[in-house]
Structure formats: structure tokens, C-alpha cells
Amino acid sequence: MMQLVLQHFCLLTLSATAAVPRHSVADGIVRVPRDSLAIVEVVRGIIAADNASDLAKVMSFYSDSALLLPPGEEPVQGHRTIQPRYQRLFDEYRPAIEGMIAEVRLGGEWAFVRGRNRGVLHSKAGAGDRMLNDVYIMLLKREPDGRWRIWELMWHSSAPPT
């Protein structure tokens, strides 16, 4: 499975790097491709849905066969296994996450986003808050309905914030 993920990532990286520039400047005005804006909205939207503990909205950002690659755990694939994971998170914590996007690249019907999430998961049971400082790579695919959805999400904890 990991080999397949790496093949997709390498293929996407090569095609995306040679594809559309991230933005262009003309007459002092920065122009960003419309698809880049749609992809940024997916990233911002899922963070907002996380912070609102809105399970239905969170799931709407994932493709039906999405794959999560959490650190130190087995892969989690498809809505039926991703949804209970989020439900547990929302039952136990109140997220307060700030997302930062470092890079967005497009390649046809595929895109990737590299970024960082910081913040805190406030414990609802008083078991102690969890600090977040994660870096991620998110692969997105334009689906037949034209919407960009998360196809794969990989992350790991980064060094503590300074």
C-alpha cells in the first residue's frame, strides 16, 4: 500500500511541478488560478469544520475512498472507517486548530497541499489537553462533480513550536 502511495505522490509531484505556476503577477496584481483557490477552500473548510466539531461537514471534504495515513498507526480508508475516528475525536475533545498552508501544486485532476496545523485539542473530560504541531501533505482529486476532495492525508508531529 505504501508503495502505491509513494508512486502516486511521486507522479503527482513531477506532474504538478511542471504544471501551472502557483500564481502570476500582472500590473502589480497577484492572480491565483481558480483551482488553487478551490483547493485552499477545502483546507480552510476542513479546519473550520474540525473546530466546529461538524462531523457531516468534515466528511464532505473527503472522497468516499479517502486514505488517512496517521503516524504510528495502520492506514484508515473510506468513510466507514474515517467517520468513527472523527466521532471519537469530537466526543473527547474540542478542537482549536490553526492551519497554515506552505504550498499548493496542481497537475490536471490532482493537487497536493503541504502545510502545518497548530493548536490544541481541549479535553472534554478533563483528561488533559493535547497540543498540536503537525506537518502534513494532503493529496486532492477533482471528482466528477467538479469538487476537489481529499484523497489522501499524511501527517506527523513536528518539533514543539518556538
Side-chain angles (χ1 to χ4, degrees), residues 105-158:
R105 294 291 178 126
L106 299 167
E109 302 302 304
W110 293 93
F112 83 87
V113 177
R114 183 176 54 84
R116 174 183 301 275
N117 289 331
R118 290 186 175 158
V120 62
L121 299 176
H122 296 284
S123 174
K124 291 182 176 180
D129 295 345
R130 285 180 41 202
M131 299 304 294
L132 295 177
N133 186 27
D134 296 339
V135 291
Y136 67 86
I137 293 179
M138 180 185 292
L139 304 176
L140 298 98
K141 184 176 183 186
R142 186 191 337 257
E143 298 210 331
D145 66 2
R147 288 188 56 198
W148 288 94
R149 288 196 175 83
I150 301 166
W151 191 67
E152 291 183 9
L153 178 58
M154 301 162 260
W155 72 96
H156 69 84
S157 182
S158 187

Side-chain angles (χ1 to χ4, degrees), residues 73-85:
E73 298 179 35
E74 291 295 317
V76 180
Q77 186 159 24
H79 275 218
R80 288 189 307 189
T81 55
I82 294 171
Q83 185 168 342
R85 185 180 175 92

